[in-house]
Amino acid sequence: MKKLMIVLAALVALSTPALAVDPDEVLDDPILEQRAREVSKDLRCVVCQNQSIDDSDSGIAKKMRVLVRDRISQGDSNQEVKDYLVSRYGDFVLLKPPVKAKTLILWFGPAVMVVIGLIGIIFYYRRRAKEKPENAGAKPLSPQEKARLEALLKEEGNQS
């Protein structure tokens, strides 16, 4: 029973999100800190690429978190902070980039690749079905060859 409780406690501890925010980064005002966390969750670490800056412990993510907190402390709105980081790093810094001409490949690239793959598979199997069998170009048997073949088949039938 004791081992089970230890295992359960370990699982609960591991299931909590691993936030990389250092205690020295946290703002004194809990309302401003909450806003900073909301903004950080929507921003991508430019090094890790699949993590928010709130989850990443890379050096650039730490600098970005500090920058977010500085901007919020100066009175910027959440959107102004995001706009500032987009102006520095581009739309890529947003975990959910807006749909516009520059980001179309991010939004529709995977679907286009799947369609291209399916078209390739269709063409492959169509071409393969149209190809003639190996003996399609062979000339027909002469009457002598047909007679010989029939004789061989009769012999084989009599032996079995």
Side-chain angles (χ1 to χ4, degrees):
M1 184 68 167
K2 192 174 184 179
K3 289 181 182 179
L4 179 64
M5 294 302 285
I6 292 172
V7 170
L8 287 175
L11 289 174
V12 168
L14 292 173
S15 68
T16 59
L19 300 176
V21 178
D22 294 331
D24 62 330
E25 296 175 30
V26 177
L27 295 172
D28 293 332
D29 185 351
I31 295 171
L32 293 180
E33 178 60 25
Q34 182 60 34
R35 284 185 50 213
R37 290 284 175 103
E38 287 174 18
V39 172
S40 295
K41 287 178 186 173
D42 295 336
L43 297 172
R44 179 189 320 269
C45 173
V46 294
V47 174
C48 306
Q49 297 182 7
N50 287 331
Q51 287 184 320
S52 70
I53 63 171
D54 206 33
D55 296 331
S56 173
D57 50 350
S58 72
I60 189 76
K62 178 179 173 73
K63 290 177 183 177
M64 291 172 76
R65 286 192 303 266
V66 169
L67 180 63
V68 165
R69 283 164 174 74
D70 287 344
R71 301 291 295 199
I72 287 177
S73 296
Q74 293 172 8
D76 285 1
S77 70
N78 292 5
Q79 190 58 46
E80 288 173 332
V81 174
K82 288 179 188 177
D83 291 343
Y84 177 75
L85 285 163
V86 167
S87 71
R88 288 184 76 178
Y89 298 102
D91 286 324
F92 180 75
V93 79
L94 299 173
L95 279 172
K96 295 179 183 173
V99 178
K100 56 185 184 181
K102 290 182 182 178
T103 61
L104 286 178
I105 195 159
L106 294 173
W107 285 101
F108 302 111
V112 168
M113 294 304 291
V114 167
V115 168
I116 290 172
L118 289 174
I119 290 171
I121 290 169
I122 290 168
F123 277 122
Y124 172 77
Y125 281 109
R126 279 189 178 174
R127 183 176 46 141
R128 193 169 167 192
K130 287 181 182 178
E131 288 179 357
K132 297 177 183 175
E134 290 180 21
N135 63 352
K139 61 181 184 175
L141 295 176
S142 68
Q144 295 154 342
E145 291 170 328
K146 282 183 185 180
R148 175 76 178 133
L149 180 61
E150 287 174 15
L152 288 172
L153 289 174
K154 282 182 184 177
E155 276 181 34
E156 187 177 302
N158 291 334
Q159 291 176 359
S160 35

